[in-house]
């Protein structure tokens, strides 16, 4: 409940408490009448016949007939005391008994009853009917209708304001849509009260019993009607949930494909809904349309190639034209869905400009749907305040200044002004919008020059011809090198002489992890590059390897993350090209420079020319190294061995800092794993793999795709988990143990032990994780032996 809501509840409580105190005092001075007690008890008992209003935290009761009768016969004050007690009894029967609800439930009826009673006696002009009966029904009919009307307006209105303070729906809208039709309940109760009051003198106490069945029948009929309405609302709610689930599934597909703008659509949805409400949009269909369109506004990106979506640099003219198609393509895809809200127009026109210069239809002004005008502003704001590969996120003030500068040209002035006023409040509601401390946050203190991807020109200058000639004999020079690192040293020197740069790096694709690993770097800051690993698609060089596309003059810091702080100077330009052999990427050659726009299109062609020679030569060198690499793999299981595990753990990718993913090592071991299932002479066992091979195979199928399995001992297998928790490791160990159970039972008494170590909980350095896990295994075994039987 917001601050205004709390103040409102407090005011109602104070006024109700004062009115109740005066009512109790007045009733205490009145002569006792048993009929007053009978009507009060009937009011409280009938209060048990509750009817829940579908879709709202509101309950109505059928006790109006009896407390209206109290008002007519004995005046307002007995009825006020009766309703206060009834409110407290109702609160005790409910699940939610928050103090503010209890206070409101006893105070609000007191106020409503006293005001309504005052209206009745003002119009009637006589004393309570128990002291002076009315001459006929006509004398009290009109005042009773007025009393019921005032009581309904106050009771429903005060409750609507209370419910509104706990939700985002306006009080008037709640009252109009959910309470108005309940007025029949109040007028029905007033009609019964008039009859009881007029004929009260001729009724014996036993006659009141006749009224009971009528009230019960009335309650059953009304409750049945409400139950049907609730079933209908429930059905609509389930359909709406199914619809939203479908929308969110489509949105997840978009978000997963576009790695650069990951999380963008969720934030845009929150901003768009908040801005729509700030603009006074109350139509449920429009709000629902904006809610769905915010998730689906980039649906057309499914038709845009991933290398364009995730490109860490400025798009070329042709790439930009391809990207622009996502608005119309998204609308075409969604038009096949029969949305209950106008979603498609918002998706199609969210890139239209207010002055008519946008796309795809060049709409202008209010011809653009309001939802699309809202989307245009919040989409731009989130893009400006989010990290991009070619620039860090802008501060809120900078982003708002850009949006205001575009007011009237790109964006609707009214929408822009509203967003500037409420953006801070909306931003507080955006979950996960806090920017992580990443490679982009402190990338540069000054604005980055937008990187330019240059296409081939087909012409070469004299300098380029000379460079190509200088590299023409590159193949013969590197032919004598069979070691990859030796080849990289020779190539690096030649290439730096031909294409000036501050730093050159050769990335090799690891055949086990599929990561890019720096095998050689030369130039200023080469020490910083040692051990650097990039996942495919990560950073600038990872993107080049994944898409096999050269990129020029993007920021070199994109590859280096936190390592960039250790460089002698920022690397503001990079030229990277893939090294391929027989249609397979074997590595990436990346040149870095401290100056902006350091590389030309001619130099790009020179580097690509060299790469076409380097790729096949590098593959040949790798084949020569396979025998040497064989020492890093286990011949029996085909798994990488402990030497390889040490190499991976010593690499930079597992030197975790801050709040990033933490590695862990899970050891699985047992006795007799290397023994065959039976003797070699047993025909039934011929070709049956050892239990260790079975364990290795089981581990591969039990781990996640990001985990690696190694053989680290005679009867031991290790699982390296890049983002590990004790629960995740226990789950893997349990799956492996259960999968091996049948083999163990049928082939011999072999048990599987497990122990794990996490960084930095059990080891100060990732390289020490295997030793830490073995030490923990020994401790577990000792503890098991020491435990009494």
């Amino acid at each position: 409940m917001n601050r205004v809501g709390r103040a409102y509840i407090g005011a109602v409580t104070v006024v109700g408490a004062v009115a109740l105190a005066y009512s109790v005092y007045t009733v205490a001075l009145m002569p006792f009448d048993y009929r007053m007690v009978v009507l009060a008890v009937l009011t409280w008992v009938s209060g048990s016949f509750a009817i829940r209003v579908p879709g709202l935290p509101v309950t109505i009761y059928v006790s109006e007939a009896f407390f209206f009768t109290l008002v007519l016969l004995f005046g307002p004050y007995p009825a006020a005391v009766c309703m206060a007690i009834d409110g407290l009894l109702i609160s005790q029967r409910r699940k939610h008994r928050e103090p503010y609800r209890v206070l409101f439930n006893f105070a609000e009826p007191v106020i409503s009853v006293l005001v309504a009673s005052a209206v009745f006696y003002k119009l009637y002009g006589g004393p309570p009917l128990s002291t002076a009966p009315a001459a006929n029904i006509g004398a009290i009919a009109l005042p009773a209708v007025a009393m019921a009307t005032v009581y309904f307006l106050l009771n429903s209105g005060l409750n609507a304001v209370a419910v509104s303070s706990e939700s985002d729906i306006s009080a008037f809208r709640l009252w109009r849509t959910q309470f108005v039709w309940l007025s029949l309940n109040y007028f029905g109760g007033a009609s019964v009260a008039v009859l009881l009051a007029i004929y009260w003198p001729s009724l014996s106490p036993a006659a009141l019993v006749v009224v009971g069945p009528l009230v019960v029948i009335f309650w059953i009929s009304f409750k049945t009607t409400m139950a049907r309405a609730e079933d209908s609302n429930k059905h609509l709610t389930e359909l709406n949930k199914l619809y939203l689930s479908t929308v969110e599934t489509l949105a997840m597909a978009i978000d997963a494909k576009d790695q650069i703008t990951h999380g963008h659509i969720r934030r845009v949805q929150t901003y768009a809904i908040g801005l729509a409400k700030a603009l006074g949009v109350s139509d449920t269909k429009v709000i629902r349309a904006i809610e769905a369109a915010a998730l689906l506004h980039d649906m057309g990106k499914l038709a845009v190639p991933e290398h364009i979506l995730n490109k860490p640099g400025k798009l070329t003219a042709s790439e930009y034209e391809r990207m622009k198609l996502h608005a119309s393509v998204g609308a075409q895809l969604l038009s096949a869905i029969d949305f209950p809200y106008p979603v498609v127009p918002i998706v199609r026109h969210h890139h239209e400009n207010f002055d008519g210069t946008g796309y795809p239809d060049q709409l202008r002004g209010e011809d653009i749907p309001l939802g699309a005008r809202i989307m245009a502003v919040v989409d731009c704001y989130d893009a400006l305040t989010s990290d991009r590969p070619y620039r860090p996120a802008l501060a809120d003030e900078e982003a708002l200044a850009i949006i205001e500068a575009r007011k009237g040209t790109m964006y609707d002035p009214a929408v822009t002004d509203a967003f500037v006023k409420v953006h801070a409040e909306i931003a507080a509601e955006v979950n996960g919008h806090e920017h992580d401390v990443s490679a982009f946050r402190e990338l540069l203190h000054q604005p980055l020059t937008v990187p330019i991807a240059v296409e081939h020109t087909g012409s070469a200058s004299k300098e380029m011809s000379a460079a190509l000639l200088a590299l023409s004999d590159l193949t013969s020079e590197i032919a004598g090198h069979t070691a990859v690192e030796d080849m990289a040293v020779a190539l690096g020197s030649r290439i730096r002489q031909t294409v000036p740069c501050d730093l050159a790096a050769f990335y090799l694709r690891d055949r086990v992890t599929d990561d890019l690993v720096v095998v050689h770097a030369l130039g200023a800051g080469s020490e910083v590059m040692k051990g650097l690993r990039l996942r495919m698609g990560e950073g600038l060089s990872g993107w080049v390897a994944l898409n096999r596309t050269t990129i020029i003059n993007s920021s070199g810091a994109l590859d280096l993350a936190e390592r960039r702080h250790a460089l002698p100077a920022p690397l503001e330009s990079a030229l990277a090209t893939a090294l391929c052999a027989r249609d397979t990427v074997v590595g990436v050659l990346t040149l870095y420079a401290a100056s902006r726009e350091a590389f030309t299109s001619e130099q790009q062609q020179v580097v690509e020319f060299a790469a076409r020679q380097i790729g096949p030569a590098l593959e040949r060198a790798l084949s020569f190294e396979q025998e040497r690499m064989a020492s890093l793999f286990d011949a029996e299981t085909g798994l990488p061995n402990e030497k390889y595990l040490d190499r991976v753990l010593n690499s930079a990718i597992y030197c975790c800092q801050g709040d990033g993913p933490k590695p862990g090592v899970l050891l699985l071991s047992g006795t007799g794993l290397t023994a065959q299932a039976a003797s070699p002479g047993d025909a039934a066992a011929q070709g049956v793999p050892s239990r260790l091979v079975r364990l290795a195979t089981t581990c591969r199928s039990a781990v996640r795709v990001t985990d690696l399995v190694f053989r680290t001992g005679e009867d031991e297998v290790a699982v390296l988990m890049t983002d590990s928790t004790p629960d995740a490791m226990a789950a893997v160990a349990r799956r492996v143990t259960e999968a091996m159970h049948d083999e163990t039972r049928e082939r011999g008494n072999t048990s599987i032990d497990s122990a794990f170590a996490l960084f930095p909980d059990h080891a100060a350095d990732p390289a020490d994780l295997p030793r830490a896990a073995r030490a923990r295994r020994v401790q577990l075994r000792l503890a098991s032996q020491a435990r009494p039987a």
Side-chain angles (χ1 to χ4, degrees):
M1 182 173 293
N2 55 39
R3 185 182 305 173
V4 175
R6 290 194 295 270
Y8 168 74
I9 295 295
V12 171
T13 301
V14 171
V15 174
V18 172
L20 177 62
Y22 182 76
S23 299
V24 171
Y25 172 76
T26 304
V27 170
L29 298 178
M30 294 175 63
F32 176 77
D33 190 321
Y34 77 92
R35 294 172 299 179
M36 189 186 306
V37 176
V38 171
L39 288 171
V41 171
L42 287 172
T43 300
W44 299 333
V45 172
S46 61
S48 301
F49 300 149
I51 302 174
R52 181 74 180 222
V53 178
L56 285 177
V58 174
T59 305
I60 61 174
Y61 302 88
V62 292
S63 56
E64 287 83 359
F66 299 114
F67 77 78
F68 279 155
T69 304
L70 266 176
V71 172
L72 299 182
L73 289 174
F74 301 103
Y77 303 111
V81 175
C82 174
M83 291 306 294
I85 297 173
D86 188 54
L88 292 175
L89 293 175
I90 290 172
S91 298
Q92 293 303 311
R93 288 194 293 265
R94 289 181 174 173
K95 292 182 180 179
H96 304 291
R97 301 176 185 173
E98 294 88 345
Y100 74 91
R101 294 183 188 272
V102 176
L103 293 173
F104 183 83
N105 285 338
F106 95 82
E108 177 275 318
V110 172
I111 297 172
S112 300
V113 167
L114 289 178
V115 175
S117 301
V119 171
F120 171 81
Y121 282 104
K122 182 70 175 177
L123 295 175
Y124 174 55
L129 301 185
S130 63
T131 59
N136 52 61
I137 292 179
I140 63 172
L142 184 60
V145 170
M147 175 183 66
T149 302
V150 172
Y151 182 78
F152 162 69
L153 292 175
L154 278 174
N155 182 251
S156 60
L158 293 174
N159 273 282
V161 173
V163 174
S164 175
S165 65
E166 293 184 308
S167 64
D168 295 330
I169 307 174
S170 70
F172 177 74
R173 183 181 168 201
L174 266 175
W175 182 85
R176 179 171 54 84
T177 58
Q178 303 291 343
F179 287 94
V180 169
W181 62 280
L182 298 177
S183 59
L184 295 176
N185 186 62
Y186 295 84
F187 292 120
S191 299
V192 175
V194 168
L195 293 174
L196 287 174
I198 288 294
Y199 297 106
W200 184 265
S202 61
L203 291 176
S204 65
L208 292 175
V209 178
V210 178
V211 180
L214 296 177
V215 174
V216 172
I217 292 171
F218 176 74
W219 171 75
I220 292 174
S221 300
F222 198 66
K223 188 176 180 66
T224 302
T225 302
M226 297 293 285
R228 290 175 180 173
E230 186 171 7
D231 288 342
S232 178
N233 281 350
K234 184 177 180 181
H235 178 65
L236 290 175
T237 300
E238 290 175 351
L239 286 179
N240 192 58
K241 286 175 64 177
L242 179 62
Y243 152 72
L244 287 178
S245 298
T246 304
V247 170
E248 290 177 1
T249 301
L250 292 173
M252 289 172 62
I254 302 166
D255 217 17
K257 182 176 182 182
D258 192 348
Q259 301 166 11
I260 288 179
T261 59
H262 182 70
H264 165 70
I265 55 178
R266 291 289 185 185
R267 297 190 297 271
V268 166
Q269 183 188 48
T270 304
Y271 283 123
I273 295 173
L275 180 54
K277 292 178 180 177
L279 286 166
V281 177
S282 59
D283 190 326
T284 303
K285 286 190 174 182
V286 176
I287 293 292
R288 292 288 191 184
I290 293 174
E291 181 181 23
L295 290 175
L296 297 173
H297 71 280
D298 283 336
M299 180 74 177
K301 287 184 176 179
L302 292 173
V304 179
E306 290 188 29
H307 73 273
I308 295 178
L309 284 178
N310 301 320
K311 185 176 182 179
K314 185 178 180 180
L315 301 180
T316 64
S318 60
E319 289 171 338
Y320 181 61
E321 289 300 318
R322 182 69 178 271
M323 178 68 85
K324 285 167 60 176
L325 293 175
H326 82 273
S328 57
V329 170
Q332 291 173 6
L333 291 173
L334 295 174
S335 62
I337 302 173
D338 187 15
F339 287 102
Y341 319 116
V343 175
V344 175
I346 299 176
V347 173
R348 181 175 181 83
H349 300 299
H350 74 279
H351 280 295
E352 301 284 0
N353 292 338
F354 200 69
D355 61 359
T357 60
Y359 62 88
D361 298 323
Q362 291 77 51
L363 299 183
R364 66 170 60 241
E366 295 190 0
D367 291 339
I368 305 170
L370 176 60
R373 283 178 272 152
I374 290 173
M375 288 292 303
V377 172
V378 299
D379 193 22
C380 174
Y381 175 79
D382 186 71
L384 292 173
T385 55
S386 301
D387 291 319
R388 289 294 186 266
Y390 47 85
R391 59 148 178 83
L394 300 182
D396 287 352
E397 296 76 12
E398 295 176 276
L400 291 175
I402 291 174
I403 290 175
E404 287 196 274
R406 298 172 178 175
K407 181 172 65 175
T409 54
M410 294 183 68
Y411 308 128
D412 183 340
V415 174
T416 303
D417 292 340
F419 184 73
V420 171
K421 290 180 182 178
V422 302
H423 84 281
E425 181 180 345
I426 301 173
E429 303 175 9
V430 178
N431 296 323
H433 193 213
E434 291 294 331
H435 297 294
D436 296 329
V437 178
S438 66
F440 307 107
R441 171 56 75 188
E442 300 174 357
L443 187 61
L444 292 172
H445 295 290
Q446 298 178 354
L448 285 174
T449 299
V450 177
I452 301 175
V454 183
E455 298 180 343
H456 295 277
T457 62
S459 62
S461 63
K462 292 182 179 179
E463 291 79 5
M464 190 182 85
S465 299
L468 292 174
L469 184 61
L471 293 175
S472 61
D473 61 344
L474 198 59
T475 304
S476 59
E477 180 173 337
I478 61 179
H481 295 285
T482 57
V484 172
E485 190 168 352
D486 292 343
M487 181 185 296
V489 170
L491 290 171
S493 300
R494 287 290 301 275
I495 290 174
R496 288 192 69 201
Q497 292 172 4
T498 308
V499 181
C501 61
D502 295 299
L503 179 66
F506 284 88
Y507 293 86
L508 184 66
R509 188 174 183 179
D510 190 315
R511 73 183 181 95
V512 176
T513 64
D514 209 34
D515 296 335
L516 292 177
V517 186
V518 173
V519 294
H520 179 67
L522 67 162
S526 58
E527 291 295 320
V528 178
M529 304 293 291
K530 285 186 176 179
L532 176 63
R533 278 179 175 259
L534 297 174
R535 292 182 173 87
M536 293 290 283
E538 180 184 10
L540 182 140
S541 298
W543 184 89
V544 168
L546 183 64
N547 296 285
R548 304 184 187 185
T549 303
T550 301
I551 196 164
I552 182 172
N553 287 333
S554 282
S555 173
L558 297 172
D559 279 343
L560 303 174
E562 296 301 324
R563 293 180 179 228
R564 70 186 187 280
H565 299 302
L567 292 170
L571 300 177
E572 300 200 23
S573 299
L575 171 58
T577 191
L579 304 175
C580 300
R582 291 185 295 184
D583 202 33
T584 301
V585 175
V586 294
V588 174
L589 169 62
T590 306
L591 308 182
Y592 303 94
S595 59
R596 298 174 182 173
E597 302 295 325
F599 302 103
T600 66
S601 58
E602 287 83 3
Q603 289 173 331
Q604 175 185 344
Q605 294 183 56
V606 169
V607 172
E608 289 176 337
F609 173 77
R612 286 194 290 272
Q613 302 180 64
I614 296 171
L618 187 60
E619 185 192 33
R620 288 193 296 271
L622 287 172
S623 65
F624 281 111
E625 286 196 349
Q626 283 184 350
E627 292 185 6
R628 187 177 66 179
M629 286 291 293
S631 65
L632 299 176
F633 287 83
D634 175 55
E636 181 180 3
T637 63
L639 296 175
N641 59 25
E642 189 164 10
K643 290 181 181 179
Y644 207 118
L645 175 61
D646 291 339
R647 175 184 290 191
V648 174
L649 288 174
N650 279 296
S651 65
I653 198 169
Y654 291 106
C655 295
C656 304
Q657 297 178 357
D659 297 327
K662 301 297 189 296
V665 168
L666 170 66
L667 295 181
L668 297 164
S669 61
T671 58
L673 289 176
T674 53
Q676 283 298 117
S679 62
D682 188 349
Q686 295 302 315
V688 175
S690 71
R691 297 190 188 106
L692 183 63
V693 174
R694 290 286 303 277
L695 177 61
T697 304
T698 303
C699 285
R700 285 195 185 103
S701 61
V703 300
R704 303 170 301 184
V705 294
T706 56
D707 301 333
L708 301 174
V709 183
F710 300 81
R711 180 180 182 179
T712 52
E714 182 178 358
D715 292 318
E716 182 181 83
V717 172
V719 179
L720 174 59
M721 304 179 73
T722 57
D723 184 6
S724 56
T725 63
D727 290 342
M729 290 196 164
V732 171
R734 184 170 57 254
R735 287 197 297 269
V736 172
T737 302
E738 291 174 353
M740 292 293 292
H741 177 70
D742 291 340
E743 170 69 13
T744 299
R745 182 177 56 190
E746 295 173 4
R747 301 294 184 178
N749 187 20
T750 303
S751 60
I752 304 296
D753 293 336
S754 65
F756 64 84
L758 302 174
F759 171 81
D761 299 349
H762 305 117
D765 190 299
D768 295 328
L769 284 172
R771 287 188 290 274
R774 292 188 180 103
R776 296 192 74 232
R777 181 173 60 195
V778 172
Q779 293 173 0
L780 291 173
R781 287 176 177 173
L782 291 175
S784 177
Q785 293 171 3
R787 191 178 299 120

